[in-house]
């Protein structure tokens, strides 16, 4: 397979970074919406409604973790396979020093914490 040019590489990385940003936006705004629903309706909701809210929270959490981790793994792979013109620059060298494993781990932990907190709010309401 032919190597990517610098422009192709940067376009692919920018597109995947946009996917990551969109995943975070979807997950955070959906979590905010479900939190409002939990605070407004869970105390008076029946068991079926609580299960429905819990299912939505679980779906948002799973989507957020899997989609964000996939995008971050792709970005890490792109960084590891950076074309010579890019990785030889100071900016490329700086990007290679970013602790991506730490960022991925913290991101996953925070997404799981958001989901667990919302489930706890549903149960204790």
């Amino acid at each position: 397979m032919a190597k990517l040019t610098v422009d192709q590489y940067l376009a692919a990385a920018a597109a995947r970074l946009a996917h990551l940003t969109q995943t975070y936006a979807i997950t955070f705004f959906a979590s905010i919406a479900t939190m409002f629903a939990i605070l407004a309706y869970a105390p008076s909701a029946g068991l079926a409604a609580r299960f429905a809210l819990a299912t939505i929270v679980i779906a948002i959490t799973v989507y957020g973790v899997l989609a964000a981790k996939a995008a971050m793994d792709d970005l890490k792979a792109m960084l590891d396979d950076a074309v010579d013109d890019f990785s030889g620059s100071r900016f490329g060298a700086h990007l290679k020093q970013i602790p991506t494993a730490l960022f991925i781990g913290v991101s996953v932990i925070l997404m799981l914490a958001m989901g667990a907190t919302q489930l706890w709010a549903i149960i204790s309401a």
Side-chain angles (χ1 to χ4, degrees):
M1 183 172 186
K3 286 185 109 180
L4 296 176
T5 66
V6 174
D7 291 338
Q8 291 170 328
Y9 173 81
L10 290 176
R16 203 59 177 130
L17 185 60
H19 294 158
L20 177 62
T21 304
Q22 292 166 354
T23 299
Y24 281 139
I26 291 167
T27 304
F28 291 145
F29 287 122
S31 292
I32 289 168
T34 54
M35 200 64 214
F36 280 123
I38 291 166
L39 293 174
Y41 301 112
S44 62
L47 188 59
R50 286 181 186 211
F51 274 118
L53 278 172
T55 302
I56 292 168
V57 168
I58 291 169
I60 292 167
T61 303
V62 168
Y63 167 77
V65 167
L66 295 179
K69 186 171 180 333
M72 286 187 281
D73 287 343
D74 288 349
L75 286 167
K76 172 137 177 43
M78 286 179 186
L79 188 59
D80 292 341
D81 291 341
V83 294
D84 295 334
D85 291 344
F86 181 74
S87 62
S89 69
R90 284 185 287 194
F91 180 64
H94 175 71
L95 286 179
K96 287 194 175 222
Q97 294 176 354
I98 295 172
T100 52
L102 177 66
F103 183 70
I104 291 169
V106 168
S107 177
V108 168
I109 289 169
L110 289 175
M111 292 260 192
L112 292 172
M114 286 188 331
T117 303
Q118 287 187 342
L119 289 175
W120 180 35
I122 292 169
I123 292 168
S124 64

